[in-house]
């Protein structure tokens, strides 16, 4: 990556008319804002359809897109919905927070109306069928899984009747014939998601903005991935996990974090030449230009917690696939731009894996200022090949962090970044400047920090099960003054987009054209 910068801003947080951010006009306007602000990157959170708890890190599929992100305004423009059908639904009352209950009740209702019109009109039939054929390898399992969830009142697949739980071939054939229309409805959602996202993604790239996507290392237990490929996971004879993912006690939680995701059967995946993982990364490259892989440490060692434990205190570290996986990805897909989330307690073997892979790691500036005053996240410890964040989606906002830390840590931060702040807003901007000044190739700043938002705008609080993933930007907050201020700090620290290099051939053609024009003028 060239020296550059970007903004972390989840799609769900984009202001829009119907309760959650989506691929609407406001998303295109955010791209314009990024371009005007001199930004090269837009980082988003995982795109998967969310379930209970609304976390993008606990998705029904690692391959599918979130139907909440489909722009209803675009469907109105396409003649598949009416304005009245959209506005008559309840989308929540607070424009700063997503009401996921309202989304669930209303979004699928209007998407079903759009699908019925799409099917009746036969619109774009060839394009739709081509999409279904291209994505068949994951699409059919996902759509059948979601249709069966509806038939089973949204219960986890582990609670379905035995023939459906175990994917008995005869039972699957019979039920698919009965619920084919519902399966097709879910295909339609994914078709619309990709059609709209491709349009937005292309617009971003044409305006000099590239997308950093985020993929969780693990998948949710109640997902099409585990249901369709149980052999890839550490399941017992009853198709229940023997151990689940988490992390040991740390600064976030005294009892550790019990994520509950099923763990991979890495021996099986190795025997298949990591086919599922290369498919997964390949699918991500349809979404993004670069990928941040969450919990990179888990590829070196993963923390396994007994399935029925209520906390993560009694887990053990087990060996992961290491470089063998990433060598395979490189062999199959070439050089993929990957950012390794290497936060937390990092062992020498994890450092070695990061070095061997060549991927940039992460430095979170909020972690730098602790009582020891010797943190590895202090800027003098930064490397060129890393990505600096003021904070991530799991952190407090920078202003909220400044307000909450101890007097010692706040004074140390003030002295280190040479801040003469008179208020917390000014201190927040000094903090942002410190991130930009780093030697690191890339700096990413959450939009909430540029807006000097407090913890009311925090995206996620790890180990807290409710109230996360809800913050939204109010309309008209992306002002020219803010854009100018971001541009200025980006320019000051040499992070503006670098024009594409002109080749010698192009230079020669330009010189010929200039000479021809000069001769023409002389003759005149």
């Amino acid at each position: 990556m060239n020296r550059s910068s970007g903004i972390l801003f989840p799609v769900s947080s984009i202001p829009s008319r119907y309760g959650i951010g989506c691929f609407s006009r406001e998303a295109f306007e955010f791209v314009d804002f990024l371009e005007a602000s001199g930004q090269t990157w837009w980082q988003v959170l995982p795109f998967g359809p969310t379930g209970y708890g609304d976390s993008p890190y606990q998705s029904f599929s690692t391959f599918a897109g979130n139907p909440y992100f489909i722009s209803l305004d675009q469907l109105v423009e396409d003649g598949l919905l009416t304005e009245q059908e959209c506005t008559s639904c309840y989308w929540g009352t607070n424009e700063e927070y997503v009401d996921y209950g309202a989304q669930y009740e209303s979004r699928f209702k209007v998407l079903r109306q759009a699908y019925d019109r799409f099917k009746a009109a036969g619109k774009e039939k060839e394009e739709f069928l081509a999409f279904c054929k291209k994505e068949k390898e994951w699409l059919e399992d996902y759509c059948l899984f979601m249709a069966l969830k509806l038939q089973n009142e949204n219960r986890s697949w582990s609670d379905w009747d035995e023939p459906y739980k175990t994917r008995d071939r005869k039972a699957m054939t019979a039920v698919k014939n009965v619920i084919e229309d519902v399966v097709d409805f879910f295909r339609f959602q994914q078709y619309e998601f990709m059609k709209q996202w491709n349009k937005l993604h292309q617009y971003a790239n044409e305006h000099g903005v590239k997308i950093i996507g985020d993929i969780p290392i693990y998948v949710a237990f109640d997902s099409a991935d585990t249901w369709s490929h149980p052999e890839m996971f550490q399941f017992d004879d009853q198709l229940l996990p023997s151990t689940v993912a988490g992390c040991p006690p740390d600064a976030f939680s005294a009892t550790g974090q019990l994520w509950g995701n099923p763990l991979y059967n890495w021996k099986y995946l190795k025997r298949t030449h990591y086919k599922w993982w290369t498919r997964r990364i390949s699918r991500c490259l349809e979404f993004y230009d670069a990928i941040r892989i969450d919990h990179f440490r888990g590829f070196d060692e993963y923390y396994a917690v007994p399935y029925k434990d209520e906390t993560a205190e009694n887990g053990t570290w087990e060996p992961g696939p290491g470089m063998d996986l990433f060598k395979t990805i490189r062999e199959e897909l070439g050089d993929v731009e990957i950012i390794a989330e290497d936060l937390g307690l990092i062992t020498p073997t994890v450092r070695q894996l990061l070095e061997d892979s060549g991927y940039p790691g992460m430095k979170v500036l909020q972690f730098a200022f602790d009582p020891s005053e010797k943190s590895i996240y202090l800027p003098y410890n930064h490397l060129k090949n890393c990505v600096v964040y003021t904070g991530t989606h799991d952190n407090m906002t920078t202003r909220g962090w400044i307000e909450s830390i101890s007097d010692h840590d706040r004074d140390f931060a003030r002295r280190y970044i040479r801040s003469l702040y008179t208020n917390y807003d000014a201190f927040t901007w000094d903090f942002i400047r410190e991130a930009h000044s780093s030697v690191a190739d890339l700096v990413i700043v959450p939009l909430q920090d540029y807006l000097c938002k407090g913890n009311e705008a925090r995206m996620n609080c790890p180990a807290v099960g409710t109230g996360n993933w809800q913050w939204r930007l109010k309309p008209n907050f992306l002002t020219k003054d803010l854009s100018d201020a971001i541009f200025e700090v980006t320019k000051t620290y040499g992070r503006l987009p670098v024009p594409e290099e002109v080749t010698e051939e192009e230079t020669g053609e330009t010189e010929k054209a200039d000479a021809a024009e000069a001769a023409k003028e002389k003759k005149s």
Side-chain angles (χ1 to χ4, degrees), residues 93-278:
T93 57
N94 190 336
E95 63 182 352
E96 289 189 80
Y97 295 95
V98 178
D99 184 333
Y100 283 100
Q103 285 298 317
Y104 181 78
E105 293 297 326
S106 297
R107 180 71 54 161
F108 294 105
K109 175 184 173 182
V110 292
L111 287 178
R112 179 71 205 202
Q113 291 172 313
Y115 163 70
D116 289 341
R117 286 200 183 95
F118 178 86
K119 185 178 179 181
K123 281 192 170 186
E124 305 171 18
K125 184 177 180 180
E126 290 185 6
E127 186 179 312
F128 174 66
L129 293 176
F131 167 79
C132 293
K133 182 179 180 181
K134 177 177 179 290
E135 306 294 350
K136 182 178 180 179
E137 196 168 7
W138 66 267
L139 184 67
E140 293 308 295
D141 284 331
Y142 167 72
C143 295
L144 182 57
F145 171 81
M146 294 303 293
L148 283 170
K149 275 191 76 68
L150 284 182
Q151 190 179 57
N152 285 274
E153 299 176 335
N154 287 313
R155 295 196 304 273
S156 169
W157 65 264
S158 61
D159 296 327
W160 296 352
D161 291 341
E162 196 70 15
Y164 306 129
K165 174 181 175 180
T166 59
R167 291 171 59 89
D168 176 79
R169 184 175 297 180
K170 289 183 178 179
M172 289 294 98
T173 301
V175 76
K176 190 173 181 181
N177 290 333
V178 175
I179 61 175
E180 179 62 22
D181 185 61
V182 181
V183 173
D184 208 40
F185 172 45
F186 283 100
R187 293 189 189 109
F188 166 76
Q189 293 173 32
Q190 293 306 304
Y191 166 71
E192 284 294 335
F193 177 97
M194 282 308 298
K195 187 173 73 168
Q196 291 190 12
W197 170 245
N198 286 340
K199 184 179 178 181
L200 177 57
H201 189 185
Q202 181 180 349
Y203 183 83
N205 287 172
E206 289 172 351
H207 286 74
V209 174
K210 294 186 285 188
I211 310 297
I212 297 174
D214 196 329
I215 71 169
I217 183 175
Y218 298 121
V219 301
F221 173 59
D222 187 22
S223 68
D225 308 291
T226 54
W227 176 68
S228 60
H229 295 288
E231 68 280 0
M232 297 194 317
F233 301 92
Q234 296 180 26
F235 286 164
D236 62 22
D237 293 342
Q238 303 302 311
L239 295 180
L240 291 174
S242 54
T243 54
V244 295
C247 69
D250 59 14
F252 284 122
S253 173
T255 58
Q257 297 177 44
L258 187 60
W259 301 334
N261 305 79
L263 294 167
Y264 295 110
N265 180 345
W266 285 114
K267 290 182 180 178
Y268 171 83
L269 289 168
K270 180 180 175 65
R271 289 199 302 271
T272 63
H273 202 56
Y274 304 108
K275 180 181 177 182
W276 182 85
W277 263 98
T278 55

Side-chain angles (χ1 to χ4, degrees), residues 7 9 26-35 42 447 478:
I7 293 179
F9 187 43
E26 292 86 352
F28 288 82
E29 290 174 349
F30 180 65
V31 171
D32 295 338
F33 177 84
L34 288 168
E35 182 183 25
W42 175 10
L447 185 63
L478 299 181

Side-chain angles (χ1 to χ4, degrees), residues 384-434:
K384 190 173 185 292
N385 187 36
C386 74
V387 185
V388 174
Y389 291 76
T390 50
T392 74
H393 61 276
D394 283 334
N395 291 98
M396 301 180 192
T397 66
T398 292
R399 172 161 181 157
W401 173 81
I402 291 168
E403 292 174 346
S404 66
I405 57 178
S406 69
D407 289 342
H408 169 274
D409 293 355
R410 190 184 302 109
D411 183 60
F412 174 43
R414 180 190 61 76
R415 286 185 284 111
Y416 189 98
I417 66 178
R418 305 168 305 283
S419 177
L420 300 175
Y421 74 95
T422 55
N423 56 59
Y424 285 151
D425 283 3
F427 197 174
T428 299
W429 271 88
D430 287 340
F431 202 79
I432 290 169
R433 290 186 186 92
E434 186 66 26

